[in-house]
Amino acid sequence: MDAAVTPTRKVLIKLDEIRTSFNETDGRLIDRPTRTIRLTDVIKLLAAGRAAYEQDKDAVGFAVFLAKWPEACPVTSAQLAGVALAAEDGAALGDVWEGVFGAYLRLLEQKWAELKATDLRVRDRILAGLRRCAVTVRPGTDGVVRLRALTRQDLQQNESFLLLLRRVVNLLLGDGNGPAPTMLRLVPPAEPLPRDFGDTGAAIRDAKYTTNLTFVPVHERDAVQYMIMRVTTRLTRPDGQPLELPGTVWPLTIPLPNGSARYELITDDNRVVRAERLGDVVDRPLPAWYPRPVSIKEGKDALQRRFALGGVGDRLPADNRPAKAWSLAELGQVASAFERIPAGDLEALKGTSLIRDMPVDPIAAGRHGGEAHVSTGGLDLIGPKPVEPTPHVHYFDLAFDDMTRAASGPPGDCGPGGDWTLLHEIGHVVTMCPHEQASLSLARLRDKPRQAYDLLDQRLRASLANADNRLIQAFNTWTTAYGAYTDANDDFVPVANETWAALRETVPPNVRDVIATFAKAQAAAVAQADPTLAAARTLDALLPEGQRDVVKVTTVLLLRHTYIAGLAAPGLLLARFAAYAAQVGYQSCTPYGRTSTKEFFAETYALFTSDRERLWAANWRMCAWLEDGYPPVEEYLPRVR
């Protein structure tokens, strides 16, 4: 070996040897003791790399070492593909890997700044390694030991792994935005594997692409390369135009000779397609609250109770339109996907009904997995209306059948592509359903509370015949104040509805004027509330004990301006989202999200709930804003947490 080679470069040579050996060996043939030895080898390499850098301060070489070290990790979806994991692997692999991966993250945190690395290829290689290696081996909620993604509950030295990981990601990105490839949500047509794959490499090269199969198990490479050949040479966009893959990520379920596996195909600007294994094709573990129902009714009831849904219904047959009904498997998939909905959004879901349905338009049937709407509309207008109350989220076959050929989620936490659609529609629920909830609340306010006011008003007027002037004056003050409150809110209603109509699809250029008009009408309505309540208190104090109902009745009626504001609230949320996205330089992760602000939010919501750390790495400020519950953007300061 050349004496001029630095100690860091010597360790790097050894790392390359081990990395190549690991990635070119069929993991199914590695027994537990050998896997433990491999893990010990990468632990020693990490220590040796650090010691060598402290000796020679070879910043460039050490940066490359930090980029390559995760690529020798023996605890990844690719390395453990086809391996039957047992309880003892939780300690032999899970405990040990968490310890060494935590040490690697802390080494990055301590040394990255002083390396002054400027090669973005090194940085991006580390980011890819972090995503690939942020896993452990643990039993799931169902007791089955499997490879799974690290969670906020997993600790490293009494600190959440995800917090440490996020700090490192932000350090690598200089607290800025990261690479943000376009995510493709297209579903390839079903196609059986051929008996002979042929020269797929030549076809890929003819299409001016190359492949990187480093992170694909040896026994899956032919099938994965066959899929890459399909997507680079045969598939087109829905409009028939050729697919442009550079700068994209395509999560797919790839058929294998003996099953299938979930992957993402990442194509860089040089037309290199890198395949990253996400996991085996298995159902997500059902949440603990879901009762493992033995009947569809039990499954529907469990969902309805958990999320306070209006109902979970089937589509009745009509004319040439067949009936559609939920299956147990579909209900379980919904339960697992909905478990990802942030707690703050569950209020928007209350009263919403889930309808198993199918589109009337055959073109839509091939492109859309769901549809959300408020009030009676959309598919409700065709054939028998579902008995479950609106708002409705209609889910179609595509979400449960064809989209099994796609994928959604990170390594160790990847589900079928339909999960994306299930959660996309909940994004629409968040920005639509509060409008109908507010409408229903206003309708209820016009019912018994208003009747209570009318009865109280009649009783008080009857008692004024023998009342003193103070009571008469207090009564007149109260009725005048409530009249002013009513007038201001009568003016507020059309403004709130106009605001919702203006903002519900795409935020218009005059959004500031729309919001200013709303704010002015809202302020006028709110301004009358306190004087009305004060007048109610004064009047109550003058009434005999046992007849003091004015404050009680008035307090309920004064909810009206809050409910009216709710009519516009989801539209205002979309406006805040669009404003903050522009402020932090966030663009839609998918082409569909670029069609309107409504779809921009729904696609972002699907990414946020299914693959949150990918969103964090692309635009951590937007991810933090979503985690913090969509706060006003003017004084919002995101933080790493």
Side-chain angles (χ1 to χ4, degrees):
M1 186 177 292
D2 190 344
V5 176
T6 66
T8 296
R9 305 288 170 141
K10 292 178 181 178
V11 176
L12 195 51
I13 291 170
K14 181 63 175 176
L15 172 60
D16 282 338
E17 293 173 355
I18 290 178
R19 186 170 59 97
T20 301
S21 172
F22 286 6
N23 291 329
E24 296 304 319
T25 304
D26 189 337
R28 298 173 299 178
L29 305 179
I30 306 299
D31 58 20
R32 185 172 291 111
T34 305
R35 206 176 304 282
T36 301
I37 292 171
R38 286 184 162 194
L39 195 48
T40 301
D41 287 343
V42 299
I43 293 172
K44 291 178 178 178
L45 274 172
L46 186 63
R50 178 171 190 159
Y53 171 67
E54 295 296 350
Q55 178 182 348
D56 61 26
K57 295 299 181 182
D58 180 355
V60 173
F62 191 53
V64 174
F65 170 84
L66 291 172
K68 288 185 174 182
W69 181 86
E71 297 174 1
C73 167
V75 183
T76 65
S77 177
Q79 288 291 323
L80 296 178
V83 176
L85 296 170
E88 51 265 41
D89 291 311
L93 294 178
D95 287 351
V96 178
W97 173 245
E98 288 178 27
V100 68
F101 186 53
Y104 170 74
L105 292 174
R106 295 194 185 279
L107 181 59
L108 274 170
E109 191 172 35
Q110 294 162 11
K111 299 298 183 182
W112 182 255
E114 71 181 62
L115 298 180
K116 296 182 171 59
T118 57
D119 190 339
L120 295 183
R121 293 172 301 177
V122 171
R123 180 204 70 180
D124 292 349
R125 198 166 176 175
I126 294 175
L127 289 171
L130 295 180
R131 177 172 172 82
R132 187 184 311 116
C133 294
V135 294
T136 187
V137 175
R138 297 289 180 203
T141 56
D142 54 1
V144 177
V145 177
R146 57 168 61 90
L147 185 86
R148 69 157 173 81
L150 290 167
T151 70
R152 189 170 290 277
Q153 286 67 48
D154 294 309
L155 301 180
Q156 213 285 319
Q157 296 182 4
N158 295 319
E159 179 182 39
S160 169
F161 246 114
L162 288 191
L163 178 59
L164 173 59
L165 185 62
R166 286 181 171 190
R167 284 206 311 270
V168 171
V169 168
N170 281 30
L171 177 65
L172 292 168
L173 298 174
D175 270 340
N177 298 336
T182 295
M183 298 190 68
L184 298 180
R185 304 303 312 172
L186 302 174
V187 180
E191 179 181 307
L193 288 177
R195 292 184 178 180
D196 182 2
F197 289 108
D199 191 353
T200 54
I204 293 169
R205 289 190 296 274
D206 288 345
K208 303 296 189 294
Y209 287 95
T210 56
T211 60
N212 178 354
L213 303 181
T214 303
F215 310 109
V216 178
V218 173
H219 61 281
E220 294 181 1
R221 287 184 181 174
D222 286 344
V224 170
Q225 181 150 297
Y226 180 76
M227 175 59 82
I228 294 175
M229 184 272 294
R230 288 184 62 201
V231 303
T232 55
T233 65
R234 297 182 185 176
L235 301 186
T236 61
R237 298 186 330 199
D239 60 7
Q241 296 299 310
L243 284 170
E244 286 298 325
L245 296 181
T248 65
V249 173
W250 197 345
L252 292 171
T253 295
I254 296 182
L256 305 173
N258 295 306
S260 54
R262 291 178 177 131
Y263 276 85
E264 54 188 12
L265 303 182
I266 305 167
T267 308
D268 66 21
D269 292 336
N270 295 317
R271 302 176 74 84
V272 178
V273 184
R274 185 178 86 249
E276 292 276 2
R277 198 178 195 276
L278 301 172
D280 299 327
V281 176
V282 295
D283 292 334
R284 295 188 191 275
L286 293 171
W289 54 264
Y290 196 66
R292 280 63 177 172
V294 296
S295 72
I296 290 175
K297 182 180 185 305
E298 288 177 352
K300 289 180 176 180
D301 290 346
L303 281 170
Q304 187 168 0
R305 285 193 305 269
R306 177 69 175 183
F307 299 106
L309 300 172
V312 181
D314 303 324
R315 164 61 69 179
L316 300 174
D319 300 327
N320 295 325
R321 185 181 189 180
K324 296 302 299 185
W326 289 96
S327 70
L328 271 177
E330 292 166 356
L331 293 169
Q333 184 179 344
V334 170
S336 295
F338 279 22
E339 186 71 358
R340 298 167 178 272
I341 300 172
D345 292 335
L346 296 179
E347 189 66 28
L349 191 56
K350 286 183 177 179
T352 300
S353 297
L354 309 181
I355 310 297
R356 186 64 173 88
D357 211 337
M358 67 178 298
V360 177
D361 180 359
I363 295 178
R367 294 186 181 179
H368 297 289
E371 174 185 295
H373 67 84
V374 296
S375 305
T376 299
L379 294 174
D380 292 353
L381 302 177
I382 305 170
K385 178 183 174 182
V387 297
E388 291 75 20
T390 58
H392 284 168
V393 177
H394 300 255
Y395 285 126
F396 309 143
D397 289 353
L398 189 68
F400 302 107
D401 298 338
D402 290 10
M403 284 186 174
T404 58
R405 300 196 296 276
S408 176
D413 186 29
C414 186
D419 286 2
W420 179 282
T421 290
L422 299 180
L423 293 164
H424 170 104
E425 296 304 326
I426 300 305
H428 287 320
V429 166
V430 170
T431 60
M432 292 172 63
C433 294
H435 174 82
E436 184 157 350
Q437 292 172 352
S439 296
L440 294 172
S441 295
L442 286 168
R444 287 191 292 268
L445 200 61
R446 289 191 295 269
D447 190 11
K448 292 184 179 180
R450 181 65 197 191
Q451 292 175 16
Y453 169 82
D454 291 339
L455 291 173
L456 175 63
D457 180 70
Q458 293 172 15
R459 177 166 61 81
L460 290 175
R461 289 182 184 277
S463 68
L464 292 181
N466 300 316
D468 59 27
N469 288 334
R470 284 196 311 154
L471 182 58
I472 295 172
Q473 184 177 356
F475 174 80
N476 290 336
T477 301
W478 173 63
T479 55
T480 300
Y482 182 65
Y485 176 81
T486 300
D487 291 343
N489 279 273
D490 287 346
D491 293 338
F492 187 23
V493 170
V495 174
N497 280 319
E498 289 163 6
T499 302
W500 158 248
L503 303 178
R504 63 180 297 181
E505 294 284 343
T506 293
V507 174
N510 68 332
V511 60
R512 291 180 180 273
D513 294 336
V514 172
I515 294 175
T517 301
F518 171 84
K520 181 179 179 181
Q522 182 182 35
V526 172
Q528 301 300 326
D530 284 347
T532 304
L533 187 58
R537 291 193 181 107
T538 300
L539 179 55
D540 253 356
L542 297 175
L543 291 172
E545 194 168 344
Q547 298 181 25
R548 296 171 181 172
D549 298 324
V550 183
V551 170
K552 177 182 176 182
V553 171
T554 303
T555 299
V556 174
L557 294 172
L558 291 181
L559 293 171
R560 188 181 178 205
H561 67 271
T562 303
Y563 296 152
I564 295 171
L567 296 172
L572 294 170
L573 168 55
L574 281 178
R576 286 201 304 278
F577 167 71
Y580 194 63
Q583 182 177 316
V584 300
Y586 175 67
Q587 297 181 344
S588 175
C589 57
T590 68
Y592 188 48
R594 296 163 198 159
T595 59
S596 68
T597 308
K598 179 178 75 171
E599 300 302 344
F600 184 12
F601 180 87
E603 290 288 83
T604 300
Y605 192 87
L607 177 61
F608 172 67
T609 48
S610 66
D611 198 349
R612 187 171 302 189
E613 300 313 306
R614 179 183 284 273
L615 177 58
W616 184 277
N619 195 299
W620 74 273
R621 292 175 178 83
M622 175 54 73
C623 187
W625 184 79
L626 294 170
E627 286 184 335
D628 288 335
Y630 329 121
V633 303
E634 291 77 14
E635 298 180 1
Y636 176 65
L637 294 175
R639 57 190 178 90
V640 179
R641 63 176 180 83

